[in-house]
Amino acid sequence: MSLLDIRNLSIYGRNDTDEAPLVDRISLTLADGEILALVGESGSGKSLVAQAVLGMLSDEWVMNAERISFDNIDLLHIDHDSHRSLLGEDMAMIFQDPAACLDPMMRVSEQLLESMPKTTPWWQLGRRKQLQSLISMLHQVGVRDHERLLTAYPHEISAGLAQKVMIAMAIARRPRLLIADEPTIGMEPSTQGQLLRLLSKLNQLHKMSILLLSHDINMAARFADRLAVIYCGQVVEAGPADAIINQPMHPYTEALLASTAAGLCRQPPKTPLPELRGGMPRRDHLPIGCRLGPRCGYARKACVTMPELTRSKVRDYRCHYPLNQRIDVDEEDA
Amino acid sequence: MFIYALRKLTLLFVTMLLLTLLAFLLGHFAPGDPVYKLIGEQNLTPAQYQEVYNAYHLNRPLILQFFRFIGNAISGDLGISTASGEMVLDHLLRALPATAELVIYALVLAMVAGIPIGTLAALNSDTPLDRTILACCLIGTSIPTFWWALLIILLLSLTLGWLPLSGRISLLFEVEPRTNIMLLDLMLSDMGYRAAALRDALAHLFMPMVAVATIPMTQVIRTTRSTMVRLMREDFIKAARARGLGRWLILRHHALPNVMLPVSRDLSLQFGTLFTGAMIIENIFAWPGVGRYLVSSMQQQDYPALQGCLLMVGSIIVLLSVLSDLLHTAADPLTRKDLSDVG
């Protein structure tokens, strides 16, 4: 049974509902205890999907969907208060730029206390005891020097530490789903690794499902069980992480992979750097047909019509001429 | 932080010195013979004239006179009023608490009413309610204080007859002045009809307080609104919402503390305006504060009193500004950080 089930979610700008949507009929399912990574460039609509799930889409956007359900609770027709309590209990989110997500006027300890589970009323549970459980939680997320952290103001701690605090706040009530929006962007590689290891540990120990939003396909693939690659608000390819990394079926995925450092290392010396021509089209200048069409090196005549999402047994792709298909089929046969 | 405080205190010192210089020069370079201005008496015999001339050390160089003036001011001798023959300081000490009472109540009113209204406007931003509040603010800021005060009098006192016209308390009540702060005096006194007197004092207080509070309140409302609108888009508010915190909790725990600082900082820049407003209002409502003293001294060409008022009010405003600046810096973790970054 899937924990999170999104079916045909579209998100439009409020004032231009007749224009192409920013998020175009995205369907995702996330099983209990699974890590799903949503990979796409900035502006591809990943964050909007996350906000839609949390019910925090700002007034600029209008969404419509066939279904968004969380653990069989219909999030489309849920009233505001129950959605909010769901946010506190079963779903949590961590953001990019964690330092900005902490109240600059409040000490870290107060903010942590605020998000601790309130199972017993405060007058029964002493502040001392609360602090103790707080500290043990900090140890869980890999903070060693808790003394200094607790009395610090948010601007006094590093981004990595702030993200650990955010994670501690997010997992305080043992949510079943954690949405991580570019949790390691702009951090040093060692910190990045630390945080990702922490997240996958939480995933394994507590069976916490994670929806990771990232632009870095390599990182996402190392970490996640399944990937969904988004381009211009459409899922262009989805499937198990290994399969996608090793045999991308969509030209965009291939280009993403080629442009990463690991991909570049595989190039023979003195070949021109692989890249997609041009940039991501603006929302009001989307090409007819395949959205990647004008930039795609493999485009042919059929690409002027929009390819539909083809669903095979394990993998989905949105391309008329998928790459690596033969090998894939062979493997399935074998 | 220490260096910052030191810098501010140096600034305070220099400003005070300049203020004193200004007050001193007022006595000397305003038209007329200093002797007549200081003594107020026009018909002096030459011997008397010489006596005063020597007594005030007018025969010494100007710079020495200035130092003497500073020395006197520090020891509390602001001269003798030519109009009443009373020590200027004594009168000021009676008038200041009255002004302080008015200004402080007005400040409190501005904060207590302004912050909720500003928050209300921010949470309903770009709705008719928000626009109405902003329009009222604009009117409140642009309206001349004295005219606004007269309008209030016209409405509440003359037309409706709800509130007394002027003064601090009805003449029927005899309040023994101890602190010169009317409400405090009333609390301390053991006279009969204390509740009635208190009610009467509050009725007298209402109109001047509202008139003085209007301009700072509009400022508070606008600052609260703009800060709150900006804050509500901040990441940490979004993160708090994503954690499932209620709207009211976010407002109380995260938004309001962040709003308070810019608001009170803005307000502390308004001390000057506030005092000026209070002075005008005092004259309209016959409130026996510094403003009334100042204006009546002007009319009577009472130079020592003018000097005293200028010095006293000026230094209070400067002192309060510096003090509030230091307090704000100490209270705000982000400015503290900036300071320690600079070194």
Side-chain angles (χ1 to χ4, degrees):
Chain A
M1 184 60 224
S2 55
L3 182 69
L4 180 70
D5 188 359
I6 302 175
R7 182 71 55 88
N8 284 342
L9 168 68
S10 301
I11 298 176
Y12 299 85
R14 172 155 310 274
N15 297 323
D16 38 38
T17 35
D18 48 336
E19 270 182 36
L22 278 94
V23 170
D24 188 11
R25 286 169 294 148
I26 280 187
S27 302
L28 297 170
T29 54
L30 181 60
D32 216 352
E34 188 186 33
I35 302 179
L36 170 68
L38 216 53
V39 180
E41 289 169 78
S42 54
S44 57
K46 334 183 272 290
S47 298
L48 285 176
V49 174
Q51 285 170 21
V53 172
L54 292 175
M56 283 175 47
L57 217 52
S58 75
D59 292 339
E60 301 161 61
W61 316 114
V62 187
M63 72 171 194
N64 73 57
E66 243 169 68
R67 176 165 76 222
I68 301 181
S69 70
F70 175 80
D71 196 22
N72 289 332
I73 304 169
D74 183 5
L75 296 186
L76 283 176
H77 305 103
I78 194 172
D79 65 286
H80 189 73
D81 282 342
S82 0
H83 202 160
R84 212 187 58 217
S85 69
L86 205 60
L87 284 187
E89 301 299 329
D90 286 337
M91 278 194 252
M93 180 160 180
I94 55 177
F95 298 83
Q96 55 188 18
D97 194 8
C101 293
L102 292 167
D103 186 341
M105 296 283 292
M106 233 185 191
R107 285 182 199 279
V108 173
S109 58
E110 296 170 44
Q111 306 194 37
L112 276 165
L113 277 178
E114 195 180 65
S115 52
M116 293 288 285
K118 303 228 174 1
T119 42
T120 47
W122 55 269
W123 61 87
Q124 286 174 20
L125 194 73
R127 190 180 160 81
R128 200 187 163 75
K129 208 165 162 193
Q130 250 183 335
L131 264 179
Q132 264 168 13
S133 61
L134 198 155
I135 287 167
S136 77
M137 183 133 67
L138 283 180
H139 288 174
Q140 253 181 58
V141 297
V143 176
R144 284 191 202 91
D145 188 10
H146 62 258
E147 285 295 328
R148 215 185 66 75
L149 175 67
L150 286 179
T151 54
Y153 281 99
H155 65 261
E156 294 167 338
I157 61 180
S158 67
L161 207 52
Q163 192 61 283
K164 283 179 188 169
V165 170
M166 290 304 293
I167 294 175
M169 288 164 110
I171 64 165
R173 299 185 189 177
R174 296 255 171 279
R176 299 174 60 196
L177 170 66
L178 179 72
I179 301 178
D181 186 357
E182 303 262 17
T184 59
I185 195 166
M187 290 183 199
E188 288 169 35
S190 61
T191 323
Q192 262 183 28
Q194 226 179 6
L195 285 170
L196 290 180
R197 272 197 302 281
L198 171 65
L199 285 179
S200 57
K201 200 178 81 188
L202 289 169
N203 168 252
Q204 284 156 15
L205 290 181
H206 303 305
K207 271 198 77 179
M208 186 173 73
S209 312
I210 297 176
L211 176 61
L212 174 78
L213 314 182
S214 172
H215 66 279
D216 183 348
I217 190 166
N218 268 339
M219 187 226 15
R222 268 207 315 278
F223 174 65
D225 304 322
R226 286 196 303 124
L227 294 184
V229 182
I230 296 192
Y231 180 75
C232 283
Q234 288 179 327
V235 173
V236 292
E237 183 166 9
D242 297 342
I244 288 188
I245 288 292
N246 295 325
Q247 289 151 0
M249 290 174 85
H250 196 278
Y252 180 65
T253 319
E254 189 194 40
L256 268 187
L257 283 168
S259 66
T260 56
L264 291 176
C265 289
R266 265 181 245 124
Q267 294 284 324
K270 300 204 174 176
T271 45
L273 289 174
E275 55 154 6
L276 286 175
R277 285 162 296 153
M280 209 158 75
R282 277 173 41 192
R283 180 157 56 105
D284 45 355
H285 283 286
L286 285 177
I288 52 166
C290 178
R291 297 236 166 125
L292 189 66
R295 301 176 69 191
C296 181
Y298 304 100
R300 277 181 261 173
K301 197 176 171 189
C303 293
V304 296
T305 55
M306 172 83 80
E308 283 306 311
L309 197 64
T310 314
R311 296 166 196 277
S312 73
K313 256 184 230 159
V314 283
R315 298 182 59 172
D316 303 345
Y317 54 90
R318 189 189 283 274
C319 187
H320 291 297
Y321 305 105
L323 315 165
N324 294 319
Q325 197 178 26
R326 183 60 52 76
I327 309 167
D328 202 49
V329 171
D330 286 350
E331 264 182 353
E332 275 178 22
D333 291 344
Chain B
M1 183 68 210
F2 176 70
I3 292 178
Y4 180 74
L6 214 63
R7 228 165 39 205
K8 283 286 159 187
L9 289 178
T10 321
L11 191 67
L12 175 71
F13 177 71
V14 173
T15 319
M16 291 291 235
L17 201 70
L18 285 175
L19 193 68
T20 325
L21 185 66
L22 197 71
F24 172 71
L25 292 181
L26 179 76
H28 276 263
F29 291 127
D33 191 323
V35 173
Y36 293 125
K37 278 187 293 182
L38 286 171
I39 229 44
E41 187 69 52
Q42 295 298 327
N43 306 315
L44 293 176
T45 62
Q48 281 172 323
Y49 182 93
Q50 199 57 43
E51 195 185 335
V52 173
Y53 196 79
N54 291 338
Y56 280 94
H57 305 281
L58 291 174
N59 48 358
R60 301 281 198 79
L62 211 55
I63 186 83
L64 287 183
Q65 287 182 43
F66 178 51
F67 284 137
R68 182 165 290 279
F69 181 77
I70 295 178
N72 284 345
I74 289 172
S75 64
D77 175 12
L78 293 176
I80 295 166
S81 164
T82 58
S84 64
E86 187 188 16
M87 291 289 283
V88 172
L89 188 71
D90 291 344
H91 196 140
L92 273 178
L93 287 184
R94 245 182 307 121
L96 261 179
T99 304
E101 199 178 15
L102 195 59
V103 169
I104 289 171
Y105 297 154
L107 262 182
V108 171
L109 178 69
M111 295 283 259
V112 167
I115 290 177
I117 295 177
T119 310
L120 195 69
L123 294 184
N124 299 294
S125 59
D126 291 327
T127 59
L129 177 70
D130 177 37
R131 294 210 189 92
T132 316
I133 291 175
L134 278 185
C136 290
C137 274
L138 192 64
I139 295 172
T141 338
S142 0
I143 209 166
T145 318
F146 68 91
W147 188 57
W148 173 230
L150 291 177
L151 279 185
I152 304 179
I153 291 180
L154 214 60
L155 179 70
L156 294 182
S157 196
L158 298 181
T159 312
L160 296 171
W162 287 350
L163 295 170
L165 190 61
S166 66
R168 290 177 89 182
I169 192 163
S170 168
L171 291 173
L172 291 173
F173 302 102
E174 196 161 331
V175 185
E176 185 192 350
R178 284 189 222 188
T179 55
N180 283 314
I181 298 172
M182 182 55 76
L183 294 187
L184 210 62
D185 275 348
L186 278 173
M187 301 280 189
L188 290 174
S189 77
D190 44 5
M191 58 187 258
Y193 307 110
R194 200 166 67 174
L198 212 57
R199 219 174 311 131
D200 189 57
L202 286 177
H204 277 90
L205 186 62
F206 184 78
M207 282 196 297
M209 181 174 78
V210 169
V212 176
T214 303
I215 287 181
M217 183 150 73
T218 57
Q219 183 75 32
V220 169
I221 292 175
R222 277 182 306 171
T223 318
T224 308
R225 182 190 171 276
S226 61
T227 318
M228 193 70 102
V229 166
R230 183 173 53 74
L231 269 180
M232 281 300 167
R233 295 203 197 101
E234 290 279 323
D235 280 347
F236 71 89
I237 296 285
K238 264 191 234 156
R241 276 172 57 203
R243 246 176 279 138
L245 299 185
R247 206 174 153 86
W248 173 240
L249 195 69
I250 291 176
L251 199 65
R252 213 183 41 191
H253 273 187
H254 296 291
L256 279 181
N258 278 286
V259 163
M260 283 304 286
L261 211 66
V263 167
S264 66
R265 174 167 289 164
D266 252 33
L267 206 58
S268 70
L269 291 177
Q270 298 259 319
F271 277 140
T273 333
L274 200 63
F275 268 90
T276 336
M279 287 176 174
I280 295 166
I281 299 297
E282 276 171 12
N283 282 294
I284 292 172
F285 287 97
W287 190 268
V290 179
R292 218 158 74 106
Y293 185 43
L294 187 75
V295 171
S296 66
S297 307
M298 264 181 216
Q299 284 161 352
Q300 292 160 340
Q301 303 210 340
D302 185 348
Y303 279 95
L306 278 179
Q307 279 179 332
C309 285
L310 177 64
L311 207 56
M312 194 62 119
V313 174
S315 32
I316 286 177
I317 292 176
V318 172
L319 206 65
L320 282 180
S321 303
V322 170
L323 206 65
S324 75
D325 191 26
L326 283 179
L327 279 180
H328 280 124
T329 313
D332 183 2
L334 290 181
T335 4
R336 279 208 305 265
K337 175 194 160 216
D338 289 346
L339 284 180
S340 57
D341 284 353
V342 172

